[in-house]
Amino acid sequence: MLPFPSLSVSEFETYLQSTPQVQLVDVRTPSEYAEGHLSESLNIDVMSPGFSAKAQELLDVNRPVAVYCRSGARSKQAAMFLARLKFQVTDLDSGFLGWAASGRPVEQDD
């Protein structure tokens, strides 16, 4: 049992729409992020050595955080780190691939 909710694409979309104060975080590498990401997401690479410090610097612990990665594995790792830091975290179970495959909108850096 995970210490945070891991939602399907449709549940995650509903959560984002119903939680205007949510901080959306893409935990993939910067190059993955540049290839496509969810609108208004912040990129903090969970595999970088300073992930926890950067997350604490950029995120407000008093606001909920929604995380996603490519397929759902790294975001669960990031969510565990963030939950230990007392963030209220929600994870996208199938990651960016599930989101994009469902036909939902994505943005790319030019």
Side-chain angles (χ1 to χ4, degrees), residues 29-40:
T29 65
S31 61
E32 287 175 297
Y33 183 82
E35 292 171 8
H37 52 269
L38 277 64
S39 177
E40 299 182 33

Side-chain angles (χ1 to χ4, degrees), residues 19-75:
T19 314
Q21 72 275 27
V22 73
Q23 302 167 98
L24 180 59
V25 181
D26 183 319
V27 299
R28 300 174 299 159
T29 65
S31 61
E32 287 175 297
Y33 183 82
E35 292 171 8
H37 52 269
L38 277 64
S39 177
E40 299 182 33
S41 60
L42 178 65
N43 183 216
I44 308 175
D45 182 359
V46 69
M47 302 311 283
S48 69
F51 173 77
S52 293
K54 190 163 185 178
Q56 287 178 294
E57 175 189 331
L58 298 174
L59 301 173
D60 181 349
V61 73
N62 298 308
R63 292 172 49 207
V65 178
V67 294
Y68 71 93
C69 63
R70 181 175 171 272
S71 63
R74 283 177 285 174
S75 61

Side-chain angles (χ1 to χ4, degrees), residues 2-5 27 46 51 65-68 73-92:
L2 297 170
F4 52 85
V27 299
V46 69
F51 173 77
V65 178
V67 294
Y68 71 93
R74 283 177 285 174
S75 61
K76 286 174 184 53
Q77 183 181 358
M80 292 295 281
F81 285 138
L82 293 170
R84 283 191 210 112
L85 296 171
K86 306 297 184 218
F87 285 92
Q88 178 193 335
V89 191
T90 300
D91 165 63
L92 173 57

Side-chain angles (χ1 to χ4, degrees), residues 2-29:
L2 297 170
F4 52 85
S6 186
L7 306 178
S8 69
V9 170
S10 61
E11 291 169 329
F12 195 78
E13 181 179 47
T14 299
Y15 174 74
L16 293 178
Q17 291 170 346
S18 65
T19 314
Q21 72 275 27
V22 73
Q23 302 167 98
L24 180 59
V25 181
D26 183 319
V27 299
R28 300 174 299 159
T29 65

